[in-house]
Amino acid sequence: QVQLVESGGGLVQAGGSLRLSCAASGRTLTRRPMGWFRQAPGKEREPVAALTWRWNGDNTEYVEFVKGRFTISSDKSKNTVYLQMNSLKPEDTAVYYCAARAVPAVLPSIHPDDYDYWGQGTQVTVSS
């Protein structure tokens, strides 16, 4: 099994920044497709960003849904994936989840059902 632990959430004022980290333990996470999702109270879980490695593993393909403000990245050597969040808005308030797929993939996935491992989530609260 793979365990994912998110960190870096907290309370921030609108316009501020946070960097979320997702650390993996257990089985190696090397080159596993990864994603970030968020869920606000009473709302569906929605994709934030997703990442997968290219065929040679040296570069990544990614998709980001909060364009211009959120950036997904990874440090393969540390089995860690990051979500840099800038210019935060109150509507960004949610629990943010890190997820990993068990099998390789060519393209990033934005569908929660494609992911096999999930962290417990980290709360991000953006005040006005």
Side-chain angles (χ1 to χ4, degrees):
Q1 292 291 326
V2 172
Q3 293 82 46
L4 305 176
V5 180
E6 303 96 335
S7 62
L11 175 65
V12 64
Q13 287 188 321
S17 298
L18 287 173
R19 190 190 193 197
L20 306 184
S21 298
C22 174
S25 62
R27 298 179 183 176
T28 179
L29 197 62
T30 301
R31 300 185 182 184
R32 293 181 185 269
M34 305 287 296
W36 285 98
F37 297 80
R38 67 185 181 187
Q39 188 167 24
K43 297 183 179 180
E44 297 290 330
R45 187 169 298 187
E46 64 180 7
V48 177
L51 175 152
T52 191
W53 282 265
R54 294 179 180 178
W55 65 271
N56 62 2
D58 294 331
N59 296 298
T60 58
E61 295 285 350
Y62 59 89
V63 59
E64 297 159 347
F65 293 93
V66 189
K67 297 180 179 179
R69 299 193 297 119
F70 289 10
T71 302
I72 188 171
S73 62
S74 66
D75 186 336
K76 185 169 62 177
S77 66
K78 297 181 179 179
N79 288 330
T80 302
V81 176
Y82 306 96
L83 183 69
Q84 179 67 45
M85 305 186 294
N86 298 323
S87 301
L88 285 162
K89 303 176 181 179
E91 51 263 42
D92 295 320
T93 296
V95 177
Y96 283 71
Y97 296 92
C98 175
R101 301 183 69 177
V103 297
V106 175
L107 298 175
S109 174
I110 64 171
H111 304 293
D113 288 346
D114 287 340
Y115 292 84
D116 302 284
Y117 307 105
W118 293 84
Q120 295 298 307
T122 185
Q123 177 71 46
V124 172
T125 302
V126 184
S127 62
S128 60

